[in-house]
Amino acid sequence: MTALRGIVMIAAGVLAFLFPEQAVKFVLLAGGVLLLVDGVLGLASSDFSSRRDATFWLALVRNVVCIVAGLIVLGNGILTNVFTLGFLAGLVGLLAIIAGLVEIVSGLMDRERYSSATPAMVSGGLYVVFGLALLFMPLSSAATLIRVVTILIIVYALSLLYRAWRIRTVG
């Protein structure tokens, strides 16, 4: 299985390296789906019969922000006729930052639901980093970033193949 992971990663890495623009579009589409699913599942798992305190409202705002950001990304083809791609990327970046900050604050405030604030802080921090990248990384350099990342993926995949070979020779 380790060798199969390596082979799949190498194939995906080579394709992303050869076609970086399509890889960026795919990553954005996958990100939009993740935002939308995250928000919808967050709303579905909300307890609307519980008390309406600050953490309830923060979670509600976070989930709605994720849904809006996901819809913006997925509706990109329609919305680019009205707004520029840079504006939409900035808007989604801002919404991701808001969602991340709300996640961090709600993790710190709601000690009943979170035994440790660390997971909420990590996931919220990742949302913030994603949002900052969308705000400050020019979309034109995204293709270059994809190429750099795919080189790293291929190197990692080669290490998986080496590890699979070592496991097979030792066993």
Side-chain angles (χ1 to χ4, degrees):
M1 292 310 273
T2 303
L4 181 60
R5 284 175 52 206
I7 291 168
V8 169
M9 285 183 162
I10 288 173
V14 167
L15 286 173
F17 189 82
L18 294 174
F19 305 104
E21 290 83 18
Q22 288 80 4
V24 169
K25 288 178 185 176
F26 176 77
V27 168
L28 288 175
L29 181 65
V33 169
L34 284 173
L35 285 167
L36 184 62
V37 168
D38 183 28
V40 168
L41 291 177
L43 277 181
S45 66
S46 294
D47 185 10
F48 290 100
S49 64
S50 68
R51 63 191 196 314
R52 307 284 167 107
D53 58 358
T55 57
F56 170 82
W57 293 109
L58 283 173
L60 185 66
V61 166
R62 180 207 172 280
N63 293 325
V64 169
V65 163
C66 285
I67 290 171
V68 169
L71 289 174
I72 289 172
V73 171
L74 294 177
N76 191 11
I78 299 166
L79 294 175
T80 52
N81 295 331
V82 180
F83 301 106
T84 66
L85 192 57
F87 174 79
L88 292 173
L91 181 61
V92 171
L94 183 63
L95 292 172
I97 291 170
I98 291 169
L101 292 175
V102 168
E103 179 84 15
I104 292 169
V105 169
S106 61
L108 292 173
M109 289 178 59
D110 193 358
R111 291 295 187 182
E112 294 172 10
R113 196 166 55 158
Y114 297 102
S115 59
S116 170
T118 305
M121 293 182 73
V122 169
S123 64
L126 289 173
Y127 264 106
V128 170
V129 169
F130 170 67
L132 289 172
L134 282 176
L135 280 175
F136 296 112
M137 187 180 84
L139 293 176
S140 61
S141 65
T144 304
L145 179 64
I146 286 290
R147 284 197 168 124
V148 170
V149 169
T150 56
I151 290 170
L152 295 174
I153 288 172
I154 290 171
V155 169
Y156 176 71
L158 290 173
S159 74
L160 286 177
L161 291 175
Y162 175 75
R163 187 181 331 159
W165 175 74
R166 294 286 297 163
I167 290 170
R168 185 148 172 88
T169 58
V170 171

